[in-house]
């Protein structure tokens, strides 16, 4: 009887020990579940699918033990890969991304500056075209006016070649009477000299200077042409002063002041003569001067 009692007490103690052990295991499991729920939010979200068929949590099809073994193998493979992977690659990638972003920023700045520069170039080209067109119109008008004064009955102009614009080049067009010449070679030497002189003076009229010096521009011209040059200077350059070196009387008659040089006893002597010129803009008594009636240009001639 005593032996049975002792055996029963031993079994009771063993059962109590097992109960305490299972209780502790249960508490540990509950604590582990709580930690897992805190660490992994997806568990609480997908907890209702645990054990459900045709899901990733069908534990009858997916054996947790086999899944644990696969997980262990994957972790071992990850460990091996970590030994061969360059851990500084992420830092290098970050630096490369920073350089790339910096270069892209600089590229955008350069492209923006390029766009502004191209826009400025386009605006300057437009202004250049407008300025050249204005200069061409003014010079062309004065060129024809001066040439027709130097050679009465003739006309001249600057025109672009057929099918071209003024910016692509200009060529001379000269008419004697009603006949337009095809080429300047059809003109005489004196006529070509008048064309060149007319163009030079027309360009000077575009931006006039206060004083000009002409050295024997009439050397190859007839007396009639020389007279026309003097009259042209008086009518077209009303606000400029000319110092002209000439050997022909046709130029002398249009000068306000005449300086003559000559040898006297082997020494050069200069004499000054003031010439009275008819006032072409003289008005009748009591009549006011109009806008075109401006003072005439003064010309000083030096005769050798």
């Amino acid at each position: 009887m005593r032996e049975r009692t002792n055996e029963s007490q031993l079994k009771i103690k063993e059962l109590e020990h097992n109960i305490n052990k299972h209780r502790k295991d249960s508490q540990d499991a509950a604590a582990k579940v709580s930690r897992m729920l805190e660490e992994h939010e997806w568990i609480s979200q997908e907890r209702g699918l645990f054990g459900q068929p045709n899901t990733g949590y069908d534990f009858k099809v997916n054996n947790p033990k086999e899944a644990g073994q696969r997980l262990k193998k994957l972790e071992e493979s990850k460990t091996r890969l970590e030994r061969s992977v360059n851990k500084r690659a992420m830092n290098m990638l970050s630096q490369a991304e920073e350089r790339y972003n910096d270069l892209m920023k600089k590229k955008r700045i350069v492209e923006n500056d390029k766009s502004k520069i191209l826009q400025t170039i386009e605006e300057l080209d437009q202004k250049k075209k407008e300025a050249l067109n204005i200069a061409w119109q003014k010079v062309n008008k004065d060129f024809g006016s001066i040439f027709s004064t130097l050679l009465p009955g003739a006309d001249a102009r600057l025109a672009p070649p057929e099918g071209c614009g003024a910016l692509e080049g200009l060529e001379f067009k000269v008419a004697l009477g009603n006949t337009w010449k095809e080429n300047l070679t059809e003109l005489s030497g004196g006529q070509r000299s008048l064309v060149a002189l007319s163009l030079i003076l027309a360009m000077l009229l575009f931006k006039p200077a206060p004083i000009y010096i002409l050295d024997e521009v009439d050397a190859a011209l007839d007396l009639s042409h020389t007279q026309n040059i003097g009259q042209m200077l008086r009518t077209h350059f009303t606000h400029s002063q000319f110092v002209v070196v000439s050997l022909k009387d046709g130029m002398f008659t249009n000068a306000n002041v005449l300086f003559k040089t000559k040898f006297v006893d082997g020494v050069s002597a200069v004499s000054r003569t003031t010439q009275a010129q008819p006032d072409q803009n003289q008005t009748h008594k009591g009549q006011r001067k109009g806008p075109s009636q401006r003072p005439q240009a003064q010309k000083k001639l030096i005769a050798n």
Side-chain angles (χ1 to χ4, degrees), residues 9-35:
Q9 289 178 351
L10 289 173
K11 288 182 179 180
I12 290 171
K13 289 182 179 180
E14 184 179 355
L15 290 173
E16 289 177 351
H17 177 73
N18 291 334
I19 290 171
N20 291 332
K21 181 180 179 182
H22 289 306
R23 185 177 296 167
K24 184 179 179 181
D25 291 342
S26 176
Q27 291 175 353
D28 292 341
K32 187 175 182 180
V33 169
S34 298
R35 288 197 304 271

Side-chain angles (χ1 to χ4, degrees), residues 23 36 56 65 95 103 212 239 254 262 296 299 301:
R23 185 177 296 167
M36 292 178 66
K65 187 175 181 180
Q95 294 175 359
L103 289 174
Y212 299 96
H239 295 286
N254 287 280
K262 60 182 179 179
Q296 297 297 322
K299 291 176 286 301
L301 275 76

Side-chain angles (χ1 to χ4, degrees), residues 280-284 287-296:
Q280 297 179 1
N281 293 323
Q282 185 177 4
T283 57
H284 295 289
Q287 183 180 358
R288 298 179 62 185
K289 291 185 178 181
S292 62
Q293 297 170 329
R294 296 174 294 182
Q296 297 297 322

Side-chain angles (χ1 to χ4, degrees), residues 170-182:
L170 299 171
E171 60 183 13
F172 292 103
K173 298 290 185 181
V174 179
L176 300 180
N178 296 324
T179 304
W180 288 93
K181 301 298 182 179
E182 296 293 334

Side-chain angles (χ1 to χ4, degrees), residues 182-201:
E182 296 293 334
N183 198 297
L184 291 181
T185 56
E186 300 181 26
L187 304 178
S188 65
Q191 291 170 342
R192 288 198 294 269
S193 298
L194 292 178
V195 170
L197 180 61
S198 299
L199 179 60
I200 293 172
L201 294 176

